Amino acid sequence: MKILLLGSGGREHTLAWKLSQSKKLTKLYVAQGNAGTAQIAENIDISPNDFEKIETFIIENQIEMLIVGPEEPLVKGIRNYLQKNKELHHLIMIAPDKNGAELEGSKDFAKEFMKKNSIPTAKYKTFTKDNYQEAVTYIKNHSLPIVLKADGLAAGKGVIIPTDYITAESTLRTMLLENQFGEASKKVVIEEFLAGIELSVFILTDGKNYILLPEAKDYKRIGEGDTGLNTGGMGAISPVPFANHTFLEKVEKQIILPTLEGLRNENIDYQGFIFFGLIDVKGEPYVIEYNVRMGDPETEVVIPRIENDLVEIFEAVGNRTLDKIELKINPKTATTIMLVAGGYPEQYEKGKEMTGWENLKNVIPFHAGTTQKEGKIITNGGRVLAITALGNDLEDALEKSKNGADKIKFDSKYFRKDIGYEFL
Ligand code: AMP
Ligand code: GLY
């Protein structure tokens, strides 16, 4: 099987690492990849959003399977684009189509979908420039804190949670009237604040059947004790201690099954991952958001716990035979700690040489923002390296991850030392 994987973060290095262990793999390309994927696959310099070049590459290299890591090409309709080409009829795509990707591409679509399908989520209303005054009144009559969300993709920055009315109104103004997020904030979803503990649940579906993957919890804030600015994710753990059988059964019954049924009712033939961003409010699961791809850094703890051949699983998606797959999950705990560049998620520098690789023990280093230059590995992003470890329990895994995080050196390296803290 010749495979093309799109993306260049820690998620993609993890997927590439797992795919490269398959006996079925003959060749793996990653576009554009990083210094980590370069060690196990061939990086190619094509943007995941350049559909024309991807199409040509797939044909010229007889690619049989395409896996899309990030959301942007999905929301822009890469599946629909490639499906138009008759030559690519047999291409297996781990990628929902444009309509399916709206679950992530439009918060308004996702909220309406949940309402229609009685899926538990925060109460909301959507506003545009045209009913701006109504939105102001809605805020004034709403309890605090209040959640404002840009409708479209905003690189993880589109959610603001003001705790006073003045900030809420000024946020609304910058989003709707001053186009803070461009197209993405032409619509704004205003919703109630849910207090609880968050976790992420993932499924892979072939449009008919689905498999439930291990759940994970990520740590989004830059500072210890969950303080400071939001990031792409500073670390993750799997399993999540409070996600017991009873809770996950509720997630399956109240959220996963109605979501799949809702997709069928909309005639959306969904083949790919669904990431349910959930919050546990006093034992009841609510959906905070859908993503139409795997999470990053959640992938770095979910995938290493899967013992099956990943190529076989993805083939079953293409053949709609996921019901034949018996998922084997490693009962160990996986943790990952993200090393980031000092200053991230604000201004930070790239191009710092990374050393200490030979001192790593009992960890899997997944590259997030790295590249190669003159035979050296250098930093190439805000999130640089995810140090994953498997342990007999959370403490054991974290100890290994932290040890690895200490060993890698680069100028102004920072990482959170408290990943998983609330469960220790
Ligand atoms: P999102 O970009 O949708 O993942 O939202 C970013 C973060 O905002 C989430 O991970 C939550 O921590 C928070 N958030 C979003 N919606 C709500 C809500 N209704 N209640 C509480 N927190 C929320
Ligand atoms: N870690 C959150 C995300 O991938 O969206």
Side-chain angles (χ1 to χ4, degrees):
M1 178 76 68
K2 292 173 89 177
I3 301 180
L4 171 61
L5 167 65
L6 303 185
S8 53
R11 167 181 52 212
E12 287 76 22
H13 186 197
T14 311
L15 289 169
W17 168 84
K18 184 71 181 164
L19 292 168
S20 67
Q21 294 164 20
S22 170
K23 283 193 289 288
K24 296 202 154 178
L25 182 79
T26 50
K27 178 83 190 174
L28 177 61
Y29 297 96
V30 188
Q32 291 148 298
N34 57 39
T37 60
Q39 294 168 3
I40 49 177
E42 185 175 335
N43 286 351
I44 56 165
D45 192 16
I46 298 178
S47 157
N49 296 314
D50 191 339
F51 296 173
E52 239 173 88
K53 280 203 182 132
I54 290 167
E55 180 182 28
T56 308
F57 185 87
I58 290 174
I59 294 167
E60 284 178 356
N61 295 280
Q62 289 135 33
I63 299 296
E64 298 160 84
M65 181 186 285
L66 174 74
I67 301 151
V68 181
E71 61 277 15
E72 208 182 327
L74 296 169
V75 172
K76 288 184 170 156
I78 190 165
R79 185 187 189 97
N80 309 64
Y81 181 91
L82 295 173
Q83 264 176 341
K84 281 189 302 200
N85 187 332
K86 288 213 172 61
E87 265 185 80
L88 299 182
H89 250 88
H90 296 289
L91 179 70
I92 294 174
M93 287 191 259
I94 306 303
D97 69 3
K98 201 172 176 8
N99 290 338
E102 280 295 274
L103 282 180
E104 178 167 2
S106 166
K107 305 248 187 227
D108 179 47
F109 174 85
K111 295 296 287 191
E112 207 182 304
F113 177 89
M114 286 187 267
K115 200 160 108 183
K116 217 193 281 182
N117 294 288
S118 308
I119 295 166
T121 189
K123 285 198 194 68
Y124 82 106
K125 226 173 137 92
T126 301
F127 298 92
T128 65
K129 209 189 247 178
D130 298 332
N131 54 359
Y132 178 75
Q133 273 313 320
E134 242 178 83
V136 173
T137 311
Y138 188 78
I139 288 178
K140 277 189 185 138
N141 294 322
H142 201 286
S143 56
L144 292 172
I146 186 166
V147 183
L148 280 81
K149 299 185 170 181
D151 176 54
L153 293 185
K157 297 189 171 66
V159 176
I160 315 240
I161 308 184
T163 49
D164 66 85
Y165 289 108
I166 293 172
T167 314
E169 257 196 74
S170 65
T171 303
L172 180 75
R173 191 172 342 104
T174 46
M175 278 190 178
L176 271 186
L177 301 185
E178 292 158 21
N179 298 319
Q180 185 185 13
F181 299 105
E183 270 305 298
S185 61
K186 281 210 152 148
K187 282 186 193 169
V188 170
V189 169
I190 303 182
E191 67 179 41
E192 80 182 307
F193 178 82
L194 298 175
I197 179 157
E198 288 178 60
L199 80 159
S200 311
V201 166
F202 311 89
I203 64 161
L204 179 65
T205 176
D206 60 13
K208 204 172 91 193
N209 315 286
Y210 73 96
I211 52 175
L212 178 66
L213 306 177
E215 77 284 355
K217 179 172 193 339
D218 91 333
Y219 292 78
K220 287 207 172 90
R221 304 291 198 95
I222 188 73
E224 286 175 9
D226 293 324
T227 53
L229 294 173
N230 254 323
T231 71
M234 297 295 293
I237 62 168
S238 176
V240 180
F242 67 88
N244 55 28
H245 184 73
T246 314
F247 183 80
L248 290 175
E249 218 164 42
K250 284 183 188 172
V251 171
E252 212 149 8
K253 267 209 194 102
Q254 296 166 21
I255 293 169
I256 297 175
L257 292 171
T259 296
L260 293 172
E261 167 110 24
L263 288 170
R264 272 191 293 275
N265 291 340
E266 307 274 334
N267 286 317
I268 294 172
D269 183 18
Y270 196 110
Q271 292 198 319
F273 292 102
I274 306 181
F275 165 151
F276 300 86
L278 305 179
I279 189 161
D280 173 353
V281 182
K282 300 188 184 113
E284 296 302 319
Y286 287 76
V287 178
I288 292 273
E289 62 164 350
Y290 286 111
N291 293 311
V292 297
R293 46 158 179 95
M294 280 301 289
D296 193 351
E298 291 92 331
T299 305
E300 288 92 309
V301 291
V302 170
I303 293 292
R305 292 189 59 215
I306 296 176
E307 292 177 342
N308 305 57
D309 182 321
L310 193 57
V311 176
E312 254 170 40
I313 294 181
F314 287 161
E315 261 185 318
V317 172
N319 300 332
R320 298 188 199 272
T321 53
L322 264 184
D323 53 330
K324 302 281 181 327
I325 295 284
E326 203 184 309
L327 201 61
K328 286 189 234 65
I329 303 297
N330 187 333
K332 285 193 169 179
T333 295
T335 57
T336 200
I337 294 179
M338 191 66 81
L339 308 186
V340 306
Y344 172 81
E346 297 183 283
Q347 293 280 10
Y348 61 85
E349 289 178 22
K350 296 183 186 177
K352 309 287 183 198
E353 185 183 351
M354 300 171 69
T355 58
W357 301 98
E358 65 285 1
N359 302 324
L360 290 179
K361 258 205 320 251
N362 302 321
V363 293
I364 322 166
F366 291 124
H367 293 231
T370 68
T371 190
Q372 278 168 310
K373 200 176 162 191
E374 292 151 12
K376 290 174 180 156
I377 295 175
I378 59 171
T379 67
N380 192 39
R383 293 195 294 167
V384 174
L385 188 74
I387 309 273
T388 293
L390 286 161
N392 293 326
D393 54 28
L394 187 58
E395 233 169 335
D396 182 33
L398 283 169
E399 168 111 15
K400 290 175 183 158
S401 282
K402 265 187 253 181
N403 192 278
D406 279 328
K407 294 287 187 311
I408 295 292
K409 311 278 183 205
F410 60 88
D411 195 28
S412 85
K413 173 188 82 178
Y414 167 77
F415 64 93
R416 272 182 66 170
K417 296 180 182 65
D418 71 336
I419 299 305
Y421 70 96
E422 69 272 61
F423 304 116
L424 293 176

